[in-house]
Amino acid sequence: MTTKPPKVRTTQPHHTGVYKADSIKDVAETLNINISDAIATALASDVEYRIHQVVEEAAKFMRHGRRTTMITSDIEQALRVLNIEPLYGHTPHNPPTFRRAGPVYGHLSSNTASSGTANAGAVYFVEDEEIDFDRVLREEKIVMPKGVSWTAHWLAVEGVQPLIPENPPPVPRDVDTNTMETPKPNGVIAAPSAPPLAMINGTGIANNTKKPQQQSQQTQQHLVKQVLSRELQLYYTRLTSSLLPPSSDFAKRTAALASLRSDAGLQALLPYLIRWVGEGVVGALKEGGQTEADGKVLEVLMEVIGAILDNNTLFVEPYLHQLLPPLLSTLLHSSLPRSHSTQLRTISSQTLSGLLTKHSTTYPSLSPRIMKTLLLALISPGKSKGTREGAIRGLIGVGKEAVRKGLVDSGGAKVVGSEVQSHEMGDWVEDQALIKAVLDALRVLHPPSDSEMSDSLNMANEADFQVSMRLRNLLGEFFAQKVGRDAAWAKAILGENINDEPIAGQIS
Amino acid sequence: MSGNTPPTASGSPTATSPPQAQATAPTGADVDLLILQYLRAKGHNIAEKAFLNEIEGSSSDARNARPEIINPEELVRTLAVFAQKPSRPGDNTLKDSSNVLSELSTMGNPPALQTLISNISSVGSEDILTEDPSDKPEGFRELVAWVEGSLDMYRPEFRPILFPIFCHFYLDLIQAGRKDAAIQFFATFSPQLEAAHSTTLLHLSTLLLPAHVQNDELAQRFRDEKYFIRISRSGFGLLLGWLTEGIGGEEMGAGYGFYGEKGKRGRVSVMQVVNNHLRFDVTSSNSASLLPHTWEESTGLTSSLIPHANGSHSKIYNPQAFNLSKGDLKLGPAPIPEELRTETERVAREKAMLEGVPSTQYDISLAPPQTLPGMVAPTENDMLPLPPNFKATDVEREVNSIRDARKRIRLEPSTLHGLEPNSPQASAIRAGALPSICAYTLHNVPEGAPCCTFSQDNSLMAVGFSESYIRLWNLKGEKLRGMRSDFSATSIRDSASLRKIKEKKGNSTRKLIGHSGPVYSVDFDPLNGSAAPPKYLLSASADGTSRLWSMDTMTNIVAFRGHENPVWDVKWSPLGTYFATASRDRTARLWSTDRTACLRIYAGHLGDVDCVRFHPNSLYLATGSSDWTARLWDVQRGSCIRVFIGHQGPVSTLAISPDGRYLASAGEDLAINLWDIGSGKRVKKMTGHTASIYSLAFSAESSLLLSGGADWTVRCWDVKGAGGAPNKRDATISSNDSPTSHKFGEEGTIEPTLDMISTFPTKRTPIINVQFTPRNLCIVGGIYQSPETR
């Protein structure tokens, strides 16, 4: 019996004989029969016709099987209905791998078809692997195939396809309708083009189309093609170059920031800008962040973030999680350049505050998350003074409640106070900055009254003494002293107690 | 085989070039006879006929066709023509002669022929006995040049002529044993015909030996039947002019003198085909009024596709004529028996009282069956016999159908006309016009599942698998419990004791095992409607059986045997009890659940019957077949009453609109055709799918058609919309342009017609089933194809 790979070539109506006379001769030779060329040619034509008959029949079974690939069981069914003994040993569970040997043929023209027998066609044969039982028994794990299961999802709701992971990503409107037909006939899909990178030449951020990670994992391939226009690329290069120190032109920088703050149509640039800021901050801080130049860079970058947030035409929300790391890094980094440290922390905390007021309504989990980071930096032992100061400034940025929670309720002031007291040999400047930060923060709770008018806590007064003790408990010795100079302030820091405290005193 | 090879055959046939006189020498009546004898023996039917024609020279059409031939002694003249051959470049002579002789040597030549061969010199004899193969490519080339060179107005109606002539030329060449010439001919000319006729061409290309032509069914149909072509009167006149005189359509610069004799020979061979195998339906209508795809409906080997009209043996070539001859149909809704109707009304009123809603909400007039104007509703006498008494479930079903009709989502795609896609209210209108689709996707199906269906109450899903089993799922997550087998029949007295023998354990999915081949179709019984889960399931399989499964016991109750071949499709009649199957044995059959033998056999299709659907009033049965037609049968009489010709490939699935007016059919030509059942005419052709279409479904209002297929999409079509190609501005222009674009070039890209409202792609799920729930929600089923398999 002839063995022929169940290869279907339904798409090519024109052919010049798949089955060669030589194959007939080969088969005949194996049976010790010698046949002439003419007979072999005739037989080959006939064999081919029969094969086509089988394949046409098998195609019906494939069609009714709702498949676009013919499998061996189709051939088997076809042979069965044609009353031919099926070919044994070809189960669909274990599709045979055919190897091809011999010369590779392109399209044969009919001239060569009739010409000599020397150029025999390619030979297909079934690969017969040797199986080492020992190895199989030892190593091969038999995996149970997963059972058939179903899932249901909405393919369309009132004619609109919902954007859920079960549905393919939508085809953008402006793209030509040709792309609608990505699945080619017979279920062949066009090779999914790799997410095209928007190339920005010469700026070193060519591979920055890294989408939000969860998104890239969720949707297997993002087919949306986004290419930055030449103008935007130019704008980007100009903007970044005029912002950073090499061009220390102040006017230029102000103009750039102003443009970023108010110009529309920069949405496409946003991911790149944010990435640029992030990398800039990381770069500046990594080098130790000691030089003045680094400080300047950081300052500019903070201003850029502020400008991005200020721009009403930008849709920043999806990128917030990318914006926060540079911001918080600047805020909490232990060693900022001395000359800029306070200023940098103040700017970043202000930016943070602006960000929170703008986006915490739509993104409710934002401020708790930031709070957590800041508290950790404030309270956990072993942090540098710079970090502590940054955390406090950050708390100021988050708001009054945050300050109360951080400094008073969680004992942040106590920690700081003890640290300032114990490390006397520490850096005086840093200490002062830290103390100032704490006092600034405490002032947020209650603007202290004019220094002249202020009356300090009177220790003799029972109530005042109580307040003082409580202050000490809450803020620690160091800051209790500082605050104690202003009775109203101290009471305000104790918060809600300010009203019931006297009553309690009277009762006791 | 070649036992008595004649000695002359072994001699070198090309040794001598014969003088002209020798060829003409033996022109006696006996030679004519011998030649005829030879032709008959070799099966050269056409050549024989042509020869006879020429000898007699008196048959009317021959005279019509070739008025320039005046000489009555045709043979002499023919031989004179042939004898000129040696003066031409003798490229083919060598090969030809050897071919002929080897051919002759393979058959036992009658001694008379031997003497003939020895009498006349070899080359001359070969010229007489066989036609020169080069005249066919030559003739076809000229025909193509003429068609392409004709006026734009005529081109679309001339184009269909090319294909049959091509086929006959190819078959002639093969039959003559000139395989190489045939392959070359095929290679040269098939590409330009491929777009419209790829399937047939592919099949023809597999025929390589004369024996194949004799045995192959399609080839025999080409040989025996007339190929039917519709052409306008003026176009026909032009064609005749070309055939006889070679007028018009010459290539630029090619004067008459240049092509002279050769051209004439080519035209002669074209004319032989035209005379013997083509039949022109000359219409008086202007050629410009033909719509782009009309040729599909009236062109082809239609005579055998159309059954004989009652009693008469005259062949009908025009499907419209046949459809007209069959008279009007009763397409209205089935009547509800009076008692059932009153009972339903009573129950509905009670229900309305109980639920505290106005009784108008249960108004029976809201129920779906309403006779549309212009349609005749059948009476109860027309219906298939059904159980005389109705049951409680029937009432339940009717009441529920009223409720469904009330709660139905209205889908009105007609509101989309003239809608600005970006206008503010567009989305709201679209929401009212387009359906919600819930997709059920099967995962981890290694070998594929050919079918899938949902019960009308949406509680069950049945999927038939290639691995010969059916799997049921309860979509509500309830347990599917069968019955125990260890009980004594005497203990069963009432429903309570029946309930006792139900299985204790169960799962929400269950395998039904019984078939021994891939399961190609499953269908739930419609009797309970949406009121309760179905009681029965039917399945059809490659093992030639269809089986009835009980959803109470979860077992196979009956196996219906009758088809000897794979059963492709099975469908319940809309009122239950009866069902129909479609099989590879080219018949559809009607069965009733209480008998194991079939009740009716619907025979007439020339290919596999691929799908069956009942008309909503169950009076008619529609079938789609691999012979590229769909037919409508009278269920009771078993006769074919409508033929729908127009698909250019096997019909893969069908749907009949709930109002009973339209039939939608989808074919392997990737088109969906919409037919008016009453007149049998094609309403429109809808294209847009890029791979096989597996399933079609009408919405309850019959206004929207959904299709799902192998291109992983579900598409919505506006049934009432105009359709047509998107870029057309004018009907007259399109009539000239569209066939061009259809036949030539741009294969692969399929322009969606205008009536395609929307496309919903899935990720990688070919959609094997599309259906609407009674409340107009759409559910589709498919099998996810993970990219790594195969």
Side-chain angles (χ1 to χ4, degrees):
Chain A
M1 194 58 212
T2 56
T3 54
K4 153 82 169 63
K7 199 172 172 211
V8 200
R9 320 187 72 191
T10 43
T11 48
Q12 283 189 325
H14 167 238
H15 71 113
T16 52
V18 182
Y19 206 82
K20 298 278 182 309
D22 289 349
S23 315
I24 295 285
K25 285 189 132 180
D26 291 344
V27 173
E29 270 169 33
T30 61
L31 301 171
N32 277 333
I33 304 169
N34 259 330
I35 51 175
S36 70
D37 276 355
I39 295 174
T41 317
L43 271 178
S45 301
D46 196 53
V47 167
E48 190 167 334
Y49 173 66
R50 305 295 160 196
I51 289 171
H52 271 283
Q53 268 189 325
V54 173
V55 168
E56 270 180 25
E57 202 60 49
K60 283 185 195 168
F61 285 92
M62 176 191 78
R63 257 190 9 242
H64 283 281
R66 303 305 192 210
R67 271 178 281 108
T68 45
T69 329
M70 193 175 285
I71 58 176
T72 46
S73 69
D74 293 330
I75 302 278
E76 196 189 306
Q77 293 275 1
L79 291 173
R80 198 171 291 185
V81 296
L82 292 172
N83 220 358
I84 305 171
E85 193 179 14
L87 297 171
Y88 296 107
H90 301 276
T91 57
H93 304 283
N94 183 18
T97 46
F98 283 97
R99 287 270 303 272
R100 185 188 164 131
V104 180
Y105 265 87
H107 284 280
L108 279 174
S109 74
S110 52
N111 300 332
T112 57
S114 60
S115 78
T117 54
N119 42 4
V123 176
Y124 292 88
F125 61 94
V126 183
E127 207 168 8
D128 203 358
E129 247 182 282
E130 264 183 37
I131 296 171
D132 180 11
F133 275 119
D134 285 341
R135 196 184 56 76
V136 169
L137 287 175
R138 216 176 329 112
E139 291 173 10
E140 219 146 276
K141 281 182 203 149
I142 296 166
V143 188
M144 279 289 286
K146 277 191 235 162
V148 185
S149 61
W150 59 271
T151 55
H153 75 273
W154 287 105
L155 187 64
V157 176
E158 298 189 327
V160 180
Q161 194 159 24
L163 297 172
I164 47 176
E166 286 90 346
N167 286 329
V171 180
R173 267 285 162 76
D174 49 355
V175 177
D176 215 28
T177 44
N178 298 341
T179 50
M180 296 274 283
E181 292 161 15
T182 34
K184 294 285 185 310
N186 295 333
V188 181
I189 193 168
S193 54
L197 298 176
M199 289 313 228
I200 301 175
N201 299 326
T203 52
I205 51 165
N207 55 349
N208 54 6
T209 40
K210 200 173 125 198
K211 295 279 174 201
Q213 278 159 5
Q214 80 238 29
Q215 198 185 341
S216 64
Q217 280 163 5
Q218 229 170 46
T219 62
Q220 41 189 22
Q221 339 125 341
H222 217 270
L223 290 171
V224 180
K225 201 170 193 164
Q226 191 185 35
V227 180
L228 280 184
S229 68
R230 185 148 286 285
E231 291 75 17
L232 274 178
Q233 291 186 27
L234 203 63
Y235 177 86
Y236 177 86
T237 19
R238 287 278 168 80
L239 186 82
T240 47
S241 65
S242 60
L243 282 171
L244 278 189
S247 77
S248 50
D249 188 342
F250 182 73
K252 230 177 170 180
R253 187 183 306 161
T254 330
L257 283 173
S259 155
L260 200 54
R261 191 168 284 127
S262 52
D263 279 0
L266 302 181
Q267 185 67 43
L269 272 184
L270 191 58
Y272 306 107
L273 279 172
I274 284 169
R275 175 132 187 134
W276 176 72
V277 167
E279 283 180 348
V281 168
V282 167
L285 292 178
K286 209 198 261 166
E287 287 161 22
Q290 297 297 347
T291 62
E292 197 161 319
D294 284 336
K296 277 204 177 113
V297 169
L298 284 174
E299 203 178 321
V300 171
L301 292 176
M302 288 304 108
E303 278 176 37
V304 169
I305 294 181
I308 289 173
L309 287 170
D310 280 350
N311 194 333
N312 285 327
T313 60
L314 289 181
F315 180 54
V316 189
E317 233 152 80
Y319 302 98
L320 281 182
H321 70 279
Q322 278 180 304
L323 263 182
L324 283 173
L327 205 57
L328 289 176
S329 308
T330 318
L331 190 64
L332 298 179
H333 197 264
S334 54
S335 55
L336 291 173
R338 175 92 26 106
S339 51
H340 287 79
S341 72
T342 308
Q343 193 188 355
L344 269 177
R345 293 192 209 277
T346 318
I347 293 179
S348 50
S349 96
Q350 275 164 1
T351 315
L352 186 65
S353 146
L355 187 148
L356 279 176
T357 45
K358 210 166 169 187
H359 296 289
S360 60
T361 44
T362 46
Y363 198 169
S365 67
L366 194 60
S367 33
R369 274 166 56 191
I370 291 171
M371 272 294 293
K372 204 173 147 197
T373 318
L374 293 176
L375 279 180
L376 218 64
L378 182 62
I379 300 167
S380 58
K383 299 279 181 193
S384 75
K385 284 176 182 153
T387 307
R388 303 262 193 244
E389 186 197 344
I392 293 161
R393 297 239 172 251
L395 286 177
I396 298 174
V398 176
K400 198 171 164 182
E401 276 311 303
V403 171
R404 179 178 298 288
K405 193 154 182 247
L407 282 181
V408 182
D409 296 349
S410 319
K414 216 186 212 165
V415 173
V416 173
S418 62
E419 265 180 20
V420 170
Q421 275 182 316
S422 62
H423 294 281
E424 287 297 355
M425 65 295 211
D427 197 330
W428 186 81
V429 179
E430 274 195 355
D431 282 354
Q432 286 310 304
L434 186 53
I435 292 163
K436 188 168 177 291
V438 173
L439 291 180
D440 280 350
L442 291 176
R443 245 170 236 129
V444 172
L445 293 179
H446 177 76
S449 36
D450 280 339
S451 48
E452 276 94 329
M453 302 276 287
S454 66
D455 47 346
S456 60
L457 286 171
N458 186 359
M459 288 304 166
N461 185 338
E462 171 87 6
D464 278 6
F465 183 70
Q466 286 280 343
V467 171
S468 154
M469 288 314 288
R470 287 167 51 86
L471 264 183
R472 226 168 258 245
N473 277 344
L474 285 173
L475 300 183
E477 185 81 11
F478 187 79
F479 285 106
Q481 232 169 29
K482 298 224 167 212
V483 173
R485 286 173 203 144
D486 187 335
W489 189 19
K491 279 175 187 158
I493 287 167
L494 290 178
E496 70 280 2
N497 305 355
I498 196 158
N499 294 326
D500 51 12
E501 186 63 34
I503 303 163
Q506 274 163 13
I507 292 165
S508 62
Chain B
M1 283 221 282
S2 54
N4 53 345
T5 310
T8 41
S10 58
S12 169
T14 54
T16 53
S17 187
Q20 209 166 303
Q22 267 187 321
T24 48
T27 52
D30 51 342
V31 176
D32 286 354
L33 210 68
L34 283 172
I35 292 171
L36 268 176
Q37 208 177 340
Y38 166 73
L39 288 172
R40 208 164 282 153
K42 287 289 287 174
H44 288 298
N45 291 337
I46 313 99
E48 185 193 332
K49 274 182 206 156
F51 193 61
L52 272 174
N53 277 350
E54 291 187 7
I55 292 172
E56 283 157 21
S58 56
S59 91
S60 62
D61 57 2
R63 197 189 295 152
N64 273 347
R66 300 173 63 182
E68 85 276 17
I69 297 165
I70 316 151
N71 194 342
E73 202 170 286
E74 286 291 333
L75 186 62
V76 174
R77 186 172 165 75
T78 316
L79 290 177
V81 171
F82 287 139
Q84 288 169 4
K85 203 179 139 195
S87 64
R88 293 190 285 111
D91 47 356
N92 274 321
T93 35
L94 251 166
K95 213 162 54 180
D96 292 346
S97 54
S98 59
N99 269 0
V100 168
L101 281 162
S102 67
E103 205 181 302
L104 287 178
S105 65
T106 56
M107 58 182 284
N109 287 328
L113 201 60
Q114 285 179 36
T115 53
L116 170 72
I117 289 169
S118 57
N119 277 348
I120 50 176
S121 126
S122 55
V123 174
S125 72
E126 146 203 353
D127 272 345
I128 299 166
L129 294 177
T130 65
E131 293 166 61
D132 176 13
S134 74
D135 63 348
K136 295 197 191 300
E138 211 45 59
F140 196 72
R141 183 169 296 123
E142 278 166 36
L143 182 66
V144 170
W146 176 71
V147 167
E148 293 310 312
S150 61
L151 290 177
D152 283 352
M153 193 171 82
Y154 292 112
R155 213 177 293 147
E157 57 177 315
F158 287 155
R159 283 222 172 93
I161 301 169
L162 294 177
F163 180 65
I165 291 177
F166 172 86
C167 294
H168 279 288
F169 277 5
Y170 180 80
L171 292 176
D172 285 345
L173 288 171
I174 289 291
Q175 184 118 43
R178 299 180 186 283
K179 185 178 144 195
D180 296 336
I183 288 175
Q184 189 158 20
F185 176 69
F186 189 90
T188 319
F189 295 110
S190 69
Q192 49 190 318
L193 297 163
E194 220 165 81
H197 303 284
S198 58
T199 22
T200 316
L201 286 176
L202 176 67
H203 185 86
L204 285 182
S205 73
T206 65
L207 307 175
L208 294 171
L209 293 178
H212 298 159
V213 176
Q214 249 126 41
N215 295 326
D216 188 75
E217 201 173 341
L218 184 72
Q220 281 312 303
R221 277 183 67 196
F222 264 105
R223 282 291 189 240
D224 299 342
E225 297 170 21
K226 297 273 188 184
Y227 194 95
F228 196 73
I229 289 171
R230 180 172 289 189
I231 198 166
S232 69
R233 190 171 298 283
S234 48
F236 189 56
L238 286 171
L239 179 66
L240 281 184
W242 179 78
L243 284 174
T244 50
E245 306 283 347
I247 303 165
E250 297 158 31
E251 284 162 274
M252 294 306 267
Y256 189 79
F258 188 70
Y259 56 34
E261 217 39 69
K262 221 170 157 186
K264 199 165 78 190
R265 281 166 51 79
R267 286 203 310 280
V268 167
S269 52
V270 170
M271 191 159 64
Q272 278 178 2
V273 173
V274 169
N275 276 340
N276 292 330
H277 300 295
L278 259 55
R279 192 188 168 99
F280 290 96
D281 172 25
V282 182
T283 57
S284 52
S285 69
N286 187 2
S287 60
S289 66
L290 287 170
L291 284 168
H293 296 299
T294 36
W295 65 271
E296 289 176 358
E297 290 166 57
S298 50
T299 304
L301 299 162
T302 52
S303 58
S304 61
L305 292 175
I306 299 166
H308 294 292
N310 314 341
S312 75
H313 287 283
S314 63
K315 294 230 169 198
I316 302 180
Y317 292 95
N318 191 342
Q320 291 318 327
F322 171 79
N323 290 342
L324 270 179
S325 74
K326 286 298 178 180
D328 289 336
L329 304 180
K330 293 174 176 173
L331 296 177
I336 302 173
E338 197 49 46
E339 301 98 61
L340 177 59
R341 191 186 165 87
T342 48
E343 178 66 10
T344 306
E345 255 175 281
R346 194 183 61 75
V347 175
R349 234 178 285 121
E350 267 174 30
K351 237 185 177 148
M353 292 246 284
L354 270 173
E355 291 176 18
V357 292
S359 61
T360 50
Q361 300 222 334
Y362 274 105
D363 191 354
I364 198 158
S365 64
L366 281 174
Q370 274 159 340
T371 314
L372 292 164
M375 283 164 66
V376 183
T379 61
E380 285 193 40
N381 296 334
D382 296 327
M383 303 300 292
L384 293 173
L386 284 170
N389 298 317
F390 60 87
K391 297 185 204 136
T393 52
D394 293 327
V395 179
E396 275 290 304
R397 178 189 70 223
E398 293 300 321
V399 171
N400 245 55
S401 75
I402 298 170
R403 202 213 313 242
D404 287 335
R406 179 165 59 84
K407 295 200 168 175
R408 183 173 297 154
I409 310 161
R410 312 262 163 234
L411 299 175
E412 268 313 319
S414 56
T415 53
L416 288 174
H417 293 313
L419 184 71
E420 293 275 324
N422 296 321
S423 70
Q425 63 272 48
S427 61
I429 293 178
R430 281 178 69 85
L434 290 172
S436 299
I437 305 171
C438 187
Y440 286 86
T441 313
L442 290 170
H443 301 270
N444 309 321
V445 184
E447 261 183 78
C451 59
C452 159
T453 190
F454 302 91
S455 67
Q456 279 198 45
D457 66 339
N458 299 332
S459 65
L460 290 173
M461 169 166 73
V463 180
F465 287 87
S466 293
E467 291 105 329
S468 313
Y469 67 91
I470 302 160
R471 196 178 263 284
L472 282 177
W473 275 277
N474 191 312
L475 299 179
K476 294 173 173 166
E478 290 160 8
K479 285 177 180 173
L480 292 171
R481 293 187 299 168
M483 285 185 183
R484 286 185 285 128
S485 49
D486 52 338
F487 64 90
S488 62
T490 50
S491 66
I492 308 299
R493 291 207 171 73
D494 51 358
S495 61
S497 54
L498 248 183
R499 224 171 291 135
K500 230 175 259 171
I501 61 160
K502 275 248 166 193
E503 285 171 353
K504 294 282 181 294
K505 282 186 224 160
N507 209 329
S508 67
T509 171
R510 200 170 169 117
K511 241 182 191 178
L512 303 179
I513 300 172
H515 280 297
S516 58
V519 182
Y520 287 122
S521 179
V522 282
D523 196 24
F524 282 113
D525 84 298
L527 257 188
N528 281 345
S530 57
K535 278 196 145 29
Y536 301 102
L537 175 74
L538 274 172
S539 63
S541 158
D543 61 9
T545 63
S546 39
R547 285 170 191 264
L548 183 73
W549 307 80
S550 164
M551 294 295 102
D552 287 329
T553 61
M554 296 289 168
T555 52
N556 182 205
I557 319 177
V558 196
F560 299 96
R561 293 167 210 276
H563 290 293
E564 291 292 323
N565 276 303
V567 186
W568 296 133
D569 199 7
V570 64
K571 269 280 170 299
W572 283 96
S573 106
L575 300 173
T577 311
Y578 300 94
F579 66 94
T581 54
S583 166
R584 186 187 169 273
D585 65 9
R586 304 183 172 191
T587 63
R589 299 185 187 205
L590 182 78
W591 312 72
S592 120
T593 45
D594 51 3
R595 280 160 213 248
T596 50
C598 72
L599 305 175
R600 296 280 186 282
I601 297 181
Y602 306 100
H605 274 297
L606 301 180
D608 303 16
V609 184
D610 289 312
C611 46
V612 281
R613 292 293 179 276
F614 272 96
H615 191 271
N617 66 14
S618 73
L619 252 60
Y620 306 106
L621 186 72
T623 54
S625 162
S626 290
D627 65 3
W628 301 8
T629 65
R631 290 170 191 239
L632 194 72
W633 307 83
D634 187 309
V635 169
Q636 298 224 47
R637 292 191 190 85
S639 60
C640 178
I641 44 173
R642 290 285 183 274
V643 181
F644 305 100
I645 295 177
H647 272 295
Q648 297 299 304
V651 179
S652 55
T653 185
L654 299 168
I656 299 184
S657 66
D659 64 9
R661 179 170 279 182
Y662 297 114
L663 170 74
S665 62
E668 291 296 316
D669 54 353
L670 308 185
I672 301 170
N673 281 338
L674 190 73
W675 309 88
D676 182 73
I677 296 177
S679 66
K681 284 184 182 139
R682 178 157 72 174
V683 180
K684 59 181 174 173
K685 175 178 177 175
M686 300 177 269
T687 56
H689 271 287
T690 54
S692 306
I693 301 158
Y694 291 150
S695 185
L696 292 171
F698 276 99
S699 72
E701 295 98 341
S702 309
S703 58
L704 193 72
L705 180 70
L706 249 74
S707 62
D711 56 0
W712 311 339
T713 59
V714 176
R715 290 172 200 254
C716 297
W717 309 87
D718 183 2
V719 173
K720 306 260 161 38
N727 52 353
K728 87 171 173 191
R729 271 165 237 97
D730 191 348
T732 47
I733 291 172
S734 77
S735 72
N736 296 328
D737 285 351
S738 285
T740 322
S741 59
H742 189 79
K743 291 182 103 176
F744 294 91
E746 60 161 1
E747 310 144 48
T749 61
I750 295 164
E751 286 274 294
T753 45
L754 281 177
D755 43 9
M756 189 177 89
I757 310 173
S758 59
T759 305
F760 302 112
T762 63
K763 264 191 175 160
R764 292 182 65 90
T765 312
I767 304 296
I768 55 171
N769 184 38
V770 173
Q771 67 186 68
F772 276 95
T773 68
R775 294 186 183 174
N776 250 355
L777 180 76
C778 183
I779 10 183
V780 302
I783 295 137
Y784 179 75
Q785 289 187 320
S786 56
E788 57 266 23
T789 56
R790 295 197 188 100

